């Protein structure tokens, strides 16, 4: 057994097992040193009051930009720099504080939840009585009492319940989402101890494995001392009650604490937040490095030019600025370094510090839209979409491969019995009767009331070999009214497997009814006649054996084994029965898309049974390699079977699966189905859900046992694909062939897969699913992958993919807990990707590039100004403006844009999946768009600076009273033009205007003017210098300054508008074509620049735009770029549509 290290263990006693003395009665003799165990406190929080500040600061300064600004701040403190330390200290402090508050608040909520859990009242048996204490005070070895509908406070081994047989029912919905009742049983020796007084006398020791995260695995044994003898009993998962599970249908239980606090299985399953990183974040980091290089280049160039300039005597030491003796004698190298650092500080704002905090806020706030979207809400189950990781929102817009599970994801996981094969004859259920194929109701033999011997035995096997339970309130109703053919008023069954439930319900409809268990007996009514079978052993299902069995004693005393499982694991172990006929029937069922199970049995002689009982006991009480020993014993028992027949159960497809898969294909996304089902079933479902087309050439790589045959087949497939490259190909691979292909021929296998439109992998183990995802993820193209599944077997695949999506299905909540996003139905995937993914990607791509653009605009005039001030490091802007530019003046419009922007209507995006291709492969954050935004930033900065200089710089006496312009007035003019231009640039990028956009866009400009008037119009006592006093008021009182501002803003944005118009009309993308308008309504005149008809020239388009503006708008003349037959979603109730498109303007 693998050894797991946990805090709280005493290293000298660290071993593979732990020994627990019940009620902490330690042995009195010898030098017994008890093992140390963790206390029962649950800690999900990250920080404490003492470590919050250092730990949080350490985490934040691991970010490159934060650390860089810290260095700049320290440089400003240490040397004489042109700007105040406040200019970089304040934004840094703001960013660090906002992030710390957010993280601190989240952690405080976790602390609050922890305290609630740890302080919950519990009852513990101590010194002969029940003592009330808090949950956190429970120790390993304590006997705990839990009442009905309470949750278990620790992992307990069940000692006794209020039932004589020591059984109890539990629901584990909060752990794995399974709502069915699970039965747990105590060992017979402790089951009789139902009172506190009796339990207090119990002397017993439990030995079990050290804690591990697997919810379904527990290996241990209990040694009960009674008088002189010691009785050893095995303990398995059926004896362990997990923390977080809830007691149902049982008045009370007593159990002994074996794992506490952070060592409970629930705590070990806590998953830390996903560490996946999106492609946008990687692009952002590479852009930061490029800007860092630009910054260093500007600083080095300025330093070199300064010294080149100062080589001339008159500029080195002008008469008005003589050097001190100390300055003359200081080291040149130190002076050079000091000047370089000063320039670095002067230009440091080219690196946008607030970018990180804005991106974080955008992701966090933007993720709420997914949960609020009513189109992703499933009414039947009352489930909304769920976001577990907001870091990956934009990745939803970049998906190239979708890996999906089949059962429960593409299908409903609602099983309906369809057909069965008994003793080589096919049967169907017709009106509650089993009818052999070819018989009808009217045929002379069709109306049979009795069952043949083989049929009855087959149905009894179905009714006995399962883990189904009956609703406790209904067990008395089993003797309800019987109909002629022996059907009762239906009982309500609970099962962990929908297949089992469907089979037991089908058997009850045709006359063999499972009426429940009492103690170790299973009761069956066969055509109204009750029979009681004693349950001797259950050989549990496991994914490797792919079968389960029960050993029962029939009413006549015969020992029988009933086995059911996949045909690949039952047929080879059968020695008699209609094996060949059944095999043919199983394949026929599979071709119809039915899920198949084979059923067999075996009779034991008393000697055989004795041997089996002995072997099972030995394996079950082993502490080392228990699983391996049990597997060997199970294989020994489940052999020489007599085949009874097979069942075919249908799993219905979810609605709109076909449309969703087709839409994904149109969007350029390749869909792979990875399933554990058998080959024929999987292919049949693939065809019915549209994953495979009837016209597709289906290639197969199945049932290969050796490396060489697998390689040969792969080569042949590659050759066939090259020869028939015109038609589409689909590939089917099974688990065994896949492991051979991945071992030696990975490259060849990948080549075949990439040339296929659809790939289906069947008979897959959970880890194989993850391997396939990893294989594609790490291939040279590095495509973005998405995995979607609903069961525990899909968790590894969900965690491996770039984006993991859990389906809130019937197979528990493990997939949902481990996913990044969770939705209720597969059909919601199209809206999640085509609408939300598209919007998030466009928003964040613009956000990142706009941030870099506005900082280039901000700092380049500062660099150009140095050429006019002898590189004396004089700042162009006042330090308050330097500080507030990114925090106040330009931060809100881009944040609001990144939350609300919809460049195309959601209806259009969903009905035209082809638009998804426009944003694939990170196209909006590639090198070309980045270069465009950077060059635009430099261009605008040159226009701001030289425009202001040419219009105002030469003729300085432009003020009414003859006063001259100073350097602060010039800097303020440049800054004013800049704030207006970058805000207007954001307005130009916005397609979707809400009142919030209007408020923050125009409000930011108004706020800048009001702030500047207040800041410069009043003498503030706490400022030691006030260079800006009355500067802004004077600037605004000059008519020529107003003229300059308007002229420069128009000059900057005019080029941008012309470029947009030309590109839209000469080289429109399919997204720009779709920006016409939403279906059915008129053209929105606000977007009139985007309107054009097929076959029009740019001039016609411009003419029509002018006609519109003059009120001669005729929407009817415009041909929309999609046909009227396009499927629009009439019931789209998206929360995203924040304002209606106003067609009345036309």
């Amino acid at each position: 057994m693998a050894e797991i290290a946990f805090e709280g263990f005493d290293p000298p006693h660290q071993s593979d097992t732990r020994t627990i003395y019940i009620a902490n009665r330690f042995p009195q003799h010898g030098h017994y040193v008890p093992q140390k165990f963790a206390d029962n406190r649950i800690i999900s929080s990250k920080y404490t009051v003492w470590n919050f500040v250092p730990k949080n600061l350490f985490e934040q300064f691991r970010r490159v930009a934060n650390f860089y600004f810290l260095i700049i701040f320290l440089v400003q403190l240490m040397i004489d720099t042109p700007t105040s330390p406040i200019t970089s200290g304040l934004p840094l402090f703001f960013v660090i504080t906002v992030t710390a508050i957010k993280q601190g608040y989240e952690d405080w909520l976790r602390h609050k939840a922890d305290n609630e859990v740890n302080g919950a009242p519990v009852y513990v048996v101590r010194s002969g009585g029940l003592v009330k204490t808090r949950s956190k005070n429970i120790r390993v070895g304590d006997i705990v009492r839990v009442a009905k509908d309470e949750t278990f406070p620790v992992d307990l081994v069940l000692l006794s319940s209020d039932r004589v047989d020591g059984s109890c029912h539990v629901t584990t919905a909060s752990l794995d989402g399974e709502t069915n009742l699970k039965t747990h049983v105590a060992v017979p020796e402790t089951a009789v101890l139902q009172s506190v007084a009796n339990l207090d006398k119990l002397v017993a020791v439990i030995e079990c494995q050290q804690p591990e995260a697997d919810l379904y695995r527990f290996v241990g044994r209990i040694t009960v001392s009674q008088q002189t003898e010691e009785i050893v009993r095995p303990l398995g998962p059926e004896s362990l009650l997990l923390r977080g599970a809830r007691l149902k249908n049982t008045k009370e239980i007593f159990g002994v604490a074996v794992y506490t606090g952070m060592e409970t299985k629930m705590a070990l399953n806590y998953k830390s937040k996903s560490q996946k990183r999106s492609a946008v974040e990687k692009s952002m980091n590479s852009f930061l490095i490029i800007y860092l290089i630009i910054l260093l280049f500007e600083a080095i160039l300025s330093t070199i030019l300064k010294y080149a300039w100062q080589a001339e005597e008159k500029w080195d030491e002008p008469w008005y600025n003589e050097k001190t003796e100390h300055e003359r004698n200081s080291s040149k190298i130190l002076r050079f370094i000091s000047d370089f650092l000063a320039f670095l500080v002067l230009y440091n704002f080219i690196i946008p510090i607030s970018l990180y905090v804005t991106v974080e806020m955008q992701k966090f706030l933007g993720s709420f839209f997914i949960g609020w979207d009513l189109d992703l809400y499933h009414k039947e189950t009352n489930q909304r979409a769920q976001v577990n990781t907001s870091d990956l929102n934009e990745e939803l817009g970049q998906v190239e491969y979708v890996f999906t599970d089949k059962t429960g994801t593409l299908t409903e996981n609602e099983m309906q019995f369809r057909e069965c094969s008994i003793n080589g004859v096919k049967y169907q259920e017709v009106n509650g009767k089993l009818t052999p194929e070819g018989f009808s109701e009217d045929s002379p033999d069709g109306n049979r009331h009795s069952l043949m011997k083989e049929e009855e035995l087959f149905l009894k096997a179905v009714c006995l070999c399962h883990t189904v339970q009956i609703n406790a309130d209904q067990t008395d109703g089993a003797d309800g009214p019987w109909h002629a053919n022996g059907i009762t008023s239906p009982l309500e069954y609970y099962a962990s497997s929908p297949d089992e439930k469907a089979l037991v319900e089908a058997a009850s409809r045709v006359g063999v009814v499972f009426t429940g268990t009492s103690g170790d007996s299973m009761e069956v009514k066969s055509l109204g006649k009750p029979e009681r079978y004693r349950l001797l052993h259950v050989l549990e299902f496991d994914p490797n054996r792919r079968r389960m069995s029960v050993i029962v004693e029939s009413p006549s005393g015969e020992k029988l084994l009933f086995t059911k499982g996949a045909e690949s694991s039952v047929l080879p172990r059968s020695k008699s029965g209609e094996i060949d006929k059944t095999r043919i029937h199983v394949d026929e069922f599979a071709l119809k898309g039915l899920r198949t199970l084979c059923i067999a049995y075996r009779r034991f002689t008393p000697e055989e049974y004795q041997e089996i009982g002995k072997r099972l006991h030995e394996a079950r009480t082993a502490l080392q390699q228990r699983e391996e020993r049990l597997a060997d014993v199970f294989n020994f028992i489940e052999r020489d079977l007599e085949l009874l027949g097979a069942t075919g159960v249908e799993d219905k497809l979810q609605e709109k699966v076909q449309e969703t898969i087709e839409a994904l294909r149109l969007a350029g996304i390749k869909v792979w189905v990875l399933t554990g089902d058998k080959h024929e079933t999987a292919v049949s479902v693939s065809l019915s859900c549209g994953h495979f087309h009837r016209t597709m050439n289906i290639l197969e790589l199945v049932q290969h046992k050796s490396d060489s045959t697998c390689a040969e087949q792969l080569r042949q497939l590659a050759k066939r694909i090259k020869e028939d490259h015109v038609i589409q190909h689909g590939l089917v691979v099974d688990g065994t062939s896949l492991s051979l292909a991945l071992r030696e021929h990975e490259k060849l296998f990948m080549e075949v897969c990439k040339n296929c439109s659809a790939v289906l992998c069947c008979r897959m183990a959970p880890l194989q699913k993850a391997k396939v995802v990893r294989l594609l993820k790490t291939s040279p193209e590095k495509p973005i992958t998405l995995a979607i599944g609903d069961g525990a077997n899909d968790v590894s695949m969900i965690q491996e993919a770039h984006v993991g999506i859990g389906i809130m299905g019937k197979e528990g909540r493990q997939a949902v807990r481990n996913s990044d996003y969770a939705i209720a139905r597969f059909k919601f995937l199209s809206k999640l990707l085509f609408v939300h993914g598209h919007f998030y990607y466009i928003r964040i791509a613009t956000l990142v590039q706009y941030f870099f653009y506005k900082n280039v605009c901000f700092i380049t005039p500062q660099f150009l100004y140095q050429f006019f001030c002898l590189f004396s490091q004089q700042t162009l802007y006042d330090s308050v403006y330097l500080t507030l530019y990114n925090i106040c003046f330009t931060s809100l419009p881009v944040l609001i844009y990144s939350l609300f922007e919809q460049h195309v209507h959601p209806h259009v995006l969903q009905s035209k999946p082809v638009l998804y291709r426009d944003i694939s492969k990170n196209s909006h954050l590639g090198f070309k768009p980045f270069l465009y935004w950077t060059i635009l930033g430099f261009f605008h900065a040159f226009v701001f600076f030289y425009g202001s200089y040419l219009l105002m710089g030469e003729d300085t006496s432009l003020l009414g009273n003859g006063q001259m312009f100073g350097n602060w007035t010039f800097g303020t003019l440049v800054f004013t033009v800049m704030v207006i231009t970058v805000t207007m640039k954001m307005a130009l990028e916005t397609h979707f205007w809400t009142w919030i956009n209007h408020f923050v866009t125009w409000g930011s400009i108004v706020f800048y003017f009001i702030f500047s008037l207040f800041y410069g119009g009043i003498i503030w006592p706490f400022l030691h210098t006030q260079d800006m006093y009355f500067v802004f008021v004077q600037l605004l009182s000059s008519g020529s300054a107003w003229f300059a501002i308007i002229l420069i803003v128009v000059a900057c944005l005019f080029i941008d508008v012309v470029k947009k118009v030309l590109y839209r009309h000469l080289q429109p993308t399919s997204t720009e074509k779709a920006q016409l308008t939403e279906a059915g309504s008129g053209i929105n005149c606000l977007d009139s620049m985007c309107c054009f008809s097929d076959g029009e020239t740019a001039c016609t388009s411009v003419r029509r735009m002018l006609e519109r503006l003059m009120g001669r708008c005729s929407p009817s003349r415009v041909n929309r770029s999609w046909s009227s037959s396009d499927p629009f979603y009439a019931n789209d109730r998206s929360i995203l549509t924040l304002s209606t498109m106003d067609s009345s303007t036309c």
Side-chain angles (χ1 to χ4, degrees), residues 42-47 52 56 59 102-118 270-273:
I42 283 286
I43 303 163
S44 62
S45 53
K46 203 171 175 182
Y47 308 106
F52 175 71
N56 189 270
E59 282 176 1
K102 175 179 165 265
Q103 291 176 349
Y105 174 69
E106 285 173 356
D107 207 61
W108 175 74
L109 290 178
R110 285 193 283 264
H111 269 285
K112 204 171 149 193
D114 288 348
N115 291 340
E116 220 168 278
V117 171
N118 295 331
Y270 281 156
K271 188 169 175 286
S272 58
K273 202 177 179 205

Side-chain angles (χ1 to χ4, degrees), residues 737-983:
S737 308
L738 182 80
S739 40
L740 288 171
L742 295 188
R743 202 179 303 154
E744 297 289 329
H745 318 288
E746 207 173 279
K747 215 170 173 186
L748 188 59
F749 176 67
M750 281 306 300
E751 195 185 317
V752 171
C753 288
K754 281 181 181 164
N755 290 316
C756 291
S757 323
V759 179
L760 167 66
C761 303
C762 50
R763 286 276 183 253
M764 297 279 279
L767 280 174
Q768 276 184 314
K769 290 184 176 185
K771 260 188 189 163
V772 171
V773 176
R774 191 179 311 128
L775 181 70
L776 263 150
K777 201 171 123 179
T778 55
S779 65
E781 292 83 21
K782 300 227 172 338
I784 303 294
T785 57
L786 176 147
I788 178 167
D790 72 321
N793 58 337
D794 303 314
V795 169
S796 49
M797 154 174 103
I798 284 171
Q799 288 177 326
E800 184 60 53
H802 291 96
V803 183
I805 296 188
I807 295 266
M808 303 168 192
K810 296 184 173 62
E811 277 194 35
R813 281 286 182 279
Q814 267 170 301
V816 171
R817 280 214 330 269
N818 290 287
S819 64
D820 304 308
Y821 301 89
I823 51 179
R825 283 287 178 272
F826 184 77
K827 65 174 180 179
F828 295 153
L829 187 62
S830 61
K831 175 132 198 205
L832 193 64
L833 298 187
F834 304 153
V835 179
H836 290 282
H838 201 120
F839 283 158
Y840 285 133
Y841 177 71
I842 291 288
R843 289 166 184 169
I844 204 154
T846 309
L847 166 83
V848 169
Q849 303 196 101
Y850 175 77
F851 249 96
F852 284 111
Y853 152 80
K854 73 186 177 84
N855 280 48
V856 168
C857 288
F858 180 40
I859 244 37
T860 309
Q862 184 90 284
F863 172 65
L864 297 173
Y865 186 55
Q866 296 309 303
F867 288 87
F868 293 82
C869 65
L870 276 185
F871 296 93
S872 60
Q873 295 143 16
Q874 168 63 34
T875 173
L876 177 63
Y877 315 119
D878 182 66
S879 59
V880 170
Y881 285 163
L882 274 173
T883 309
L884 297 184
Y885 175 72
N886 273 324
I887 297 177
C888 295
F889 302 145
T890 60
S891 59
L892 275 180
V894 66
L895 178 65
I896 296 302
Y897 167 93
S898 67
L899 290 174
F900 297 140
E901 172 62 359
Q902 293 180 29
H903 61 305
V904 182
H905 196 275
H907 286 318
V908 181
L909 282 178
Q910 197 164 352
S911 61
K912 296 180 80 64
V914 147
L915 300 180
Y916 193 80
R917 293 175 187 239
D918 275 4
I919 58 165
S920 63
K921 298 199 187 302
N922 204 7
S923 59
H924 286 240
L925 270 176
F927 189 67
K928 274 168 82 175
F930 169 69
L931 200 64
Y932 167 72
W933 279 91
T934 304
I935 290 169
L936 187 72
F938 279 114
F939 166 71
H940 282 182
F942 273 82
V943 175
F944 300 154
F945 185 81
Y946 285 109
S948 304
Y949 181 71
L950 291 171
L951 290 171
M952 311 294 285
E954 294 297 312
D955 187 3
T956 47
S957 60
L958 276 173
L959 296 177
N961 58 2
Q963 267 188 307
M964 294 171 76
F965 260 41
N967 65 324
W968 294 117
T969 318
F970 176 71
T972 307
L973 175 64
V974 173
F975 193 82
T976 306
V977 169
M978 179 171 59
V979 169
I980 296 170
T981 306
V982 297
T983 308

Side-chain angles (χ1 to χ4, degrees), residues 1 17-22 157 187 204-209 218-224 230-239 256 258-259 617-624 626 629:
M1 193 189 303
T17 60
R18 51 168 58 188
T19 307
I20 298 149
Y21 290 87
I22 292 181
V157 163
V187 298
V205 179
I206 291 174
E207 289 167 274
C208 61
Q209 62 186 143
F218 177 65
V219 179
R221 64 175 173 223
I222 183 168
T223 310
V224 183
E230 288 190 342
I231 299 163
V232 180
R233 293 278 182 187
L235 297 173
E238 71 289 340
S239 313
V256 60
V258 283
Y259 305 130
H617 183 72
E618 279 173 13
R620 284 203 157 124
T621 51
L623 277 180
Q624 304 296 330
R626 182 185 288 184
R629 290 191 193 186

